[in-house]
Amino acid sequence: MIDNHILAPVFIHLFTAILQLIAWRKTISQRFLSVGGAFIGLLIAIRLFAQVYNEGPLHLNASNWDAPFGIVFVADPLSTTMVLITSIAGFAVSIFSSIGLNRQRMLYGYFPIFHFLLMGLNGAFLTGDIFNLYVWFEVIIISSFVLMTLGGRKAQLEGAVKYMSMNILASTFFLTGIGILYGITGSLNMADLALKIRDFPNKPLVGVTSIFFILGFGIKSAVFPLYYWLPSSYHTPPSAVAATFGGLLTKVGIYAILRVFSLIFIPDDFTRTLFMVLAVLTILTGAFGAMVKPNIRRLFSYLIVCHIGFMLGGIAMFSKIALMGTVFYLIHDIIVKTNMFLIAGFIRQVRGTMDMNKLGGLYKDYPIISLIIALVLFSLVGIPPLSGFWPKIYLFQEAFIEKQYFFVAALIIGSLVTLYVIAKMWADVFWKDVPADVEVENKFETMPPFKKILLVLPILLLCGVTLYIGIQAENIILLVDKITNELMDTSPYIRTVLGDKAFEQ
């Protein structure tokens, strides 16, 4: 079905950014515009998700050029779910940003760039054109680079150089793969590529081409050994920026792998083995890196790497149950990781530092907020019946069936290390007393009441979503089942874009 509203999640953030550029020096207006635009974007995402869930995939041919000759946008269960989760996270971060950032950074253009980033994310999820996916990736990279350097501190610039260098390398691999694909098929439309690649006789060339995409998406996802830029850069920007990065940016790479390797490059034995080796090494690297980090955001950065390996392992097995685990974990991880970095920002606002050696006594001072944070931490660890528990069941189940015992061991180690570092963080930051040689800052107490509410509200909002995902897991399982059915059988996607004629031989 053709629907012109597919691009609404993109345009709402574009228009919000333009209005904020007009109000460049008026930071109060920018805050209201940001929260309002993010809220409208959330409503649009809910509407689009509901329509696709109830009526099936939608598409839009840009300028009315029929596929595969024109640029096409496709809204299927996977893409609309990603848009919805992105909109929830974006709305929470926009509220936190209105309080958690100083005015000087707002004057540098934080809010319009933030909405350009959300625009790029939604565009990447909705595009049905492989070159257009590259273009949206560039929008994301440029926006995120500006956000990372906002304020111009030395640590930010150092982290941004590493971030930008690796992402330029990823884009080079990605663009090279696209060039080869176009050279051998004459098409850039992903649905059309799916049909042409299956009939292409030179399978070794197709395999070599897929390696370029693995390298490109692997760097963006922070997969071993291409992950080191992430923990070196995600701790440097403001917490609102780090929350957007930690929750969303690496997950775009996982989405791209799911989309391209279910639609175009169906994984063969070599590709699945490669993915599995990378998954195990990614889990172990992230887990062991997290064990030695005293800084909260550095710890969370390594946990991002560790849990990317969980999702990549599901893709490596490439069965229905394994993909259900990957997609479920993807939904859970975006919400939880965004919230974790917001929690880190809250701790910095309250105590002025994120060094666990200098922290303590938060539970004593703020018991209710600490209990809310504890629920988020339990969800991250995967305590049943919270959101992180259910996808691991699918991953463990399929790993045993497929006899992937190295992956089982890595899952156990990654889960136990996550439990250990989160328990240590809770003990150091919330449970123990403040060290005697540390002067306690109580910035939170001096804030006006409305600022306190706006600082805690996004954490509470995302905690509520996390609890829903865990406690109402049967609803998420139904959604994940629908998504994985269309990942395993891509004919509905292809038929949506190309029509029934695509299957007429």
Side-chain angles (χ1 to χ4, degrees):
M1 183 186 298
I2 295 177
D3 193 312
N4 293 328
H5 294 96
I6 290 175
L7 283 180
V10 175
F11 282 128
I12 183 60
H13 293 291
L14 173 63
F15 294 148
T16 301
I18 291 171
L19 289 174
Q20 289 170 328
L21 289 172
I22 295 171
W24 183 263
R25 306 293 298 180
K26 300 175 181 178
T27 57
I28 294 177
S29 299
Q30 288 192 33
R31 297 177 200 186
F32 280 106
L33 285 169
S34 178
V35 175
F39 181 68
I40 295 171
L42 175 58
L43 295 180
I44 290 171
I46 292 171
R47 176 196 176 278
L48 183 62
F49 172 82
Q51 186 175 0
V52 169
Y53 189 86
N54 294 322
E55 300 177 15
L58 309 171
H59 77 287
L60 169 66
N61 297 324
S63 301
N64 209 27
W65 282 76
D66 290 337
F69 305 107
I71 295 173
V72 65
F73 293 89
V74 185
D76 70 339
L78 175 59
S79 60
T80 52
T81 298
M82 294 300 292
V83 169
L84 176 59
I85 299 299
T86 299
S87 299
I88 294 171
F91 178 55
V93 172
S94 69
I95 297 173
F96 189 90
S97 301
S98 65
I99 299 300
L101 282 179
N102 60 46
R103 187 173 185 272
Q104 194 60 39
R105 280 197 167 94
M106 296 179 188
L107 290 173
Y108 289 146
Y110 166 80
F111 283 114
I113 299 301
F114 171 68
H115 284 276
F116 279 128
L117 176 60
L118 293 180
M119 178 190 75
L121 289 166
N122 287 339
F125 296 140
L126 292 170
T127 186
D129 181 280
I130 193 71
F131 183 77
N132 217 26
L133 179 61
Y134 166 79
V135 172
W136 287 117
F137 268 33
E138 295 306 295
V139 173
I140 294 169
I141 291 170
I142 293 169
S143 301
S144 55
F145 178 75
V146 175
L147 289 175
M148 186 168 287
T149 57
L150 216 61
R153 293 186 299 111
K154 181 180 177 181
Q156 287 181 257
L157 296 176
E158 182 183 348
V161 168
K162 297 174 183 177
Y163 172 81
M164 197 64 181
S165 299
M166 291 304 295
N167 275 278
I168 288 173
L169 181 62
S171 296
T172 302
F173 285 126
F174 187 13
L175 191 59
T176 303
I178 292 172
I180 298 173
L181 263 185
Y182 184 71
I184 64 179
T185 63
S187 180
L188 294 171
N189 182 282
M190 286 195 276
D192 193 42
L193 283 170
L195 297 177
K196 290 184 175 179
I197 285 294
R198 291 173 193 176
D199 298 331
F200 190 73
N202 192 343
K203 297 302 180 185
L205 180 57
V206 174
V208 170
T209 306
S210 71
I211 296 296
F212 285 99
F213 288 90
I214 292 173
L215 289 170
F217 297 152
I219 293 173
K220 292 180 185 295
S221 303
V223 169
F224 179 90
L226 309 168
Y227 70 91
Y228 73 88
W229 59 269
L230 191 152
S232 298
S233 56
Y234 274 25
H235 71 286
T236 59
S239 295
V241 176
T244 309
F245 288 9
L248 293 168
L249 293 196
T250 51
K251 312 314 181 298
V252 181
I254 293 295
Y255 166 82
I257 293 173
L258 280 170
R259 178 66 74 197
V260 170
F261 282 87
S262 64
L263 198 60
I264 302 172
F265 304 108
I266 308 302
D268 56 14
D269 290 339
F270 171 78
T271 305
R272 292 173 63 182
T273 302
L274 176 60
F275 276 145
M276 184 57 72
V277 171
L278 294 176
V280 170
L281 293 175
T282 301
I283 293 171
L284 298 178
T285 303
F288 295 143
M291 291 180 69
V292 297
K293 297 302 175 186
N295 181 282
I296 294 174
R297 285 218 311 234
R298 280 183 178 271
L299 185 156
F300 291 164
S301 296
Y302 274 100
L303 288 182
I304 290 173
V305 175
C306 175
H307 299 155
I308 286 292
F310 289 12
M311 292 176 263
L312 192 62
I315 297 172
M317 291 182 283
F318 208 78
S319 63
K320 179 175 172 58
I321 297 298
L323 289 178
M324 286 182 71
T326 292
V327 175
F328 200 134
Y329 207 96
L330 181 62
I331 295 170
H332 145 82
D333 204 59
I334 290 174
I335 298 298
V336 169
K337 289 300 194 307
T338 302
N339 210 2
M340 295 303 293
F341 281 92
L342 292 183
I343 289 167
F346 169 78
I347 294 171
R348 185 179 180 85
Q349 288 286 332
V350 171
R351 290 288 197 255
T353 182
M354 284 182 283
D355 185 345
M356 290 189 288
N357 295 324
K358 299 178 181 179
L359 289 167
L362 277 177
Y363 180 79
K364 180 180 178 181
D365 293 342
Y366 310 102
I368 297 177
I369 298 174
S370 297
L371 289 175
I372 294 170
I373 293 173
L375 288 173
V376 181
L377 297 177
F378 290 157
S379 298
L380 177 68
V381 172
I383 303 298
L386 299 175
S387 60
F389 171 74
W390 304 107
K392 289 182 186 178
I393 295 296
Y394 290 113
L395 293 174
F396 273 113
Q397 176 184 340
E398 194 62 21
F400 277 112
I401 292 173
E402 296 285 332
K403 298 181 180 179
Q404 297 287 350
Y405 298 123
F406 284 109
F407 182 57
V408 172
L411 277 175
I412 293 171
I413 292 171
S415 299
L416 290 176
V417 170
T418 301
L419 175 61
Y420 167 75
V421 297
I422 292 301
K424 185 176 183 298
M425 174 197 158
W426 176 265
D428 288 345
V429 177
F430 294 88
W431 206 248
K432 74 173 175 62
D433 293 330
V434 181
D437 59 338
V438 175
E439 185 177 344
V440 176
E441 294 187 49
N442 249 324
K443 297 181 179 180
F444 193 70
E445 296 300 329
T446 61
M447 287 184 182
F450 79 93
K451 285 192 175 182
K452 293 181 182 180
I453 293 171
L454 291 179
L455 202 60
V456 176
L457 181 61
I459 296 173
L460 184 60
L461 169 66
L462 293 182
C463 179
V465 176
T466 300
L467 288 176
Y468 176 83
I469 293 172
I471 295 171
Q472 296 293 323
E474 63 271 20
N475 295 331
I476 307 301
I477 290 170
L478 290 174
L479 169 63
V480 167
D481 183 68
K482 182 185 285 284
I483 292 171
T484 50
N485 282 337
E486 296 198 8
L487 288 174
M488 299 297 293
D489 176 15
T490 56
S491 57
Y493 182 99
I494 297 171
R495 185 173 281 109
T496 298
V497 176
L498 301 176
D500 293 331
K501 63 182 180 180
F503 297 94
E504 296 174 2
Q505 299 295 335

